[in-house]
Amino acid sequence: MTTPLATRFTVGRLVCWTLDAGLQRLDGGAMFGVVPKPLWERRIAPDARNRIPLALRCLLVEHPDGLVLVDTGIGNKENEKFLDIYGVDNSGTAGPTRLEDALAAAGYRPGDVRWVVNTHLHFDHAGGNTFRQSDGSVALAFPGASYVMQRRELDFAAHPNERTQASYLPPNFAPVAASGRLRLVDGELEILPGVLLLPSPGHVPFHQSIVVRDAGEAAIFLGDIVPTAAHLPAAWIMGYDLEPLVTLATKRVLLARAAREEWQLVFEHDPAVARARLATDGENGYSPVPTPVA
Ligand SMILES: [Zn+2]
């Protein structure tokens, strides 16, 4: 798969980029929950281990108050067994991972990032918050940044149970908490003018999506509430979601608003469709068929 490292787009006067931080492969059945395989395999074809390719796409916003990075991919701290199980392909040349290559393609270095925002703290969203140095120690990947997380998501990640512990790996967030560079927020908040943190629960209870708005235009970085364009239909919900009926309610509200206000949708995990808009003629007032944005 040859996707560009960095793709520029605009929201009003704000310049934004989607950054390709690599690829992972997850079980197709788990990615589509109760949707039967004959339906989902037509959207994204599985490999011999029943895994489907998933992008690790991040969002970069060139905001006048500082460079904002939303989510950080998987990072470089995991061992060979982990990388094989999850089919991770995220090696880079400019830094620890492909995310640093993508940042460079957009014209930036890790030290330029002023704000790192995590939709949630699963390893494929927060893994690049930190990186393993050659001496084995773990350091912040963006040393000049404030790291923005939902307070209750950090608490939820730090107190996992048997179901959640494989996804919440402390080296991705504990060093941030210890560094003094953490900024915890509670619920909906406009952290910078035009950069809105919007709670979007369901996948995990304190998941958030990020809305970028300027001059009458808006884009939403959905995170895992709608990980790919194939997950736009209301009932296409991941088996990984802890509260699938909450995901359903969140999707109804978010997607109706996205259609009404003509938001661009940015998909974190879609291997082919980075951005799309919704058509507004479907049975719910919008069509779940995405219109890709070039
Ligand atoms: Zn997740």
Side-chain angles (χ1 to χ4, degrees), residues 198-221:
L198 197 60
S200 48
H203 174 63
V204 293
F206 307 106
H207 185 278
Q208 62 182 349
S209 301
I210 284 68
V211 178
V212 178
R213 303 182 288 202
D214 190 60
E217 295 183 0
I220 182 167
F221 186 82

Side-chain angles (χ1 to χ4, degrees), residues 2-287:
T2 55
T3 54
L5 279 168
T7 303
R8 184 184 187 278
F9 66 105
T10 57
V11 179
R13 295 157 299 186
L14 291 172
V15 172
C16 301
W17 300 80
T18 51
L19 302 180
D20 172 10
L23 201 67
Q24 67 179 339
R25 294 169 181 83
L26 297 181
D27 182 83
M31 279 302 292
F32 287 104
V34 299
V35 178
K37 184 173 182 181
L39 296 184
W40 64 251
E41 71 179 353
R42 279 189 255 150
R43 305 298 304 274
I44 306 180
D47 67 12
R49 289 158 71 174
N50 206 47
R51 304 175 307 182
I52 59 172
L54 294 164
L56 300 167
R57 188 172 289 111
C58 307
L59 175 68
L60 189 71
V61 183
E62 296 183 357
H63 194 278
D65 293 347
L67 200 59
V68 182
L69 174 64
V70 182
D71 280 351
T72 59
I74 287 183
N76 75 338
K77 301 185 298 299
E78 308 311 326
N79 62 27
E80 286 300 321
K81 183 183 176 193
F82 180 102
L83 300 180
D84 176 62
I85 289 172
Y86 296 105
V88 178
D89 178 2
N90 75 339
S91 58
T93 55
T97 69
R98 190 171 168 87
L99 174 57
E100 287 75 20
D101 289 3
L103 253 187
Y108 296 104
R109 293 170 304 167
D112 298 329
V113 176
R114 290 290 168 265
W115 306 86
V116 173
V117 180
N118 290 127
T119 57
H120 61 305
L121 297 173
H122 281 169
F123 65 75
D124 55 330
H125 298 257
N129 284 357
T130 59
F131 75 104
R132 193 175 302 287
Q133 305 183 100
S134 50
D135 67 0
S137 63
V138 173
L140 298 193
F142 304 95
S146 292
Y147 285 71
V148 180
M149 303 172 189
Q150 287 287 333
R151 182 187 312 276
R152 287 181 294 175
E153 170 64 3
L154 178 59
D155 183 62
F156 191 73
H159 300 91
N161 59 36
E162 295 87 339
R163 171 89 189 265
T164 65
Q165 64 190 4
S167 300
Y168 286 123
L169 309 180
N172 296 333
F173 49 84
V176 179
S179 72
R181 302 212 65 98
L182 184 61
R183 178 166 170 198
L184 294 173
V185 302
D186 295 293
E188 183 172 332
L189 181 70
E190 191 167 21
I191 50 161
L192 298 171
V195 179
L196 177 70
L197 312 182
L198 197 60
S200 48
H203 174 63
V204 293
F206 307 106
H207 185 278
Q208 62 182 349
S209 301
I210 284 68
V211 178
V212 178
R213 303 182 288 202
D214 190 60
E217 295 183 0
I220 182 167
F221 186 82
L222 290 155
D224 268 351
I225 197 70
V226 186
T228 77
H231 290 84
L232 283 169
W236 289 51
I237 291 170
M238 287 193 282
Y240 295 113
D241 285 17
L242 299 181
E243 301 174 316
L245 295 181
V246 176
T247 298
L248 179 64
T250 297
K251 285 172 71 174
R252 283 181 177 145
V253 172
L254 265 190
L255 295 178
R257 186 174 174 192
R260 194 171 61 242
E261 301 183 13
E262 299 181 351
W263 291 357
Q264 288 190 59
L265 310 177
V266 183
F267 300 106
E268 187 156 7
H269 289 313
D270 196 300
V273 182
R275 291 179 292 124
R277 293 183 193 277
L278 292 168
T280 51
D281 56 355
E283 61 190 36
N284 301 315
Y286 63 87
S287 166

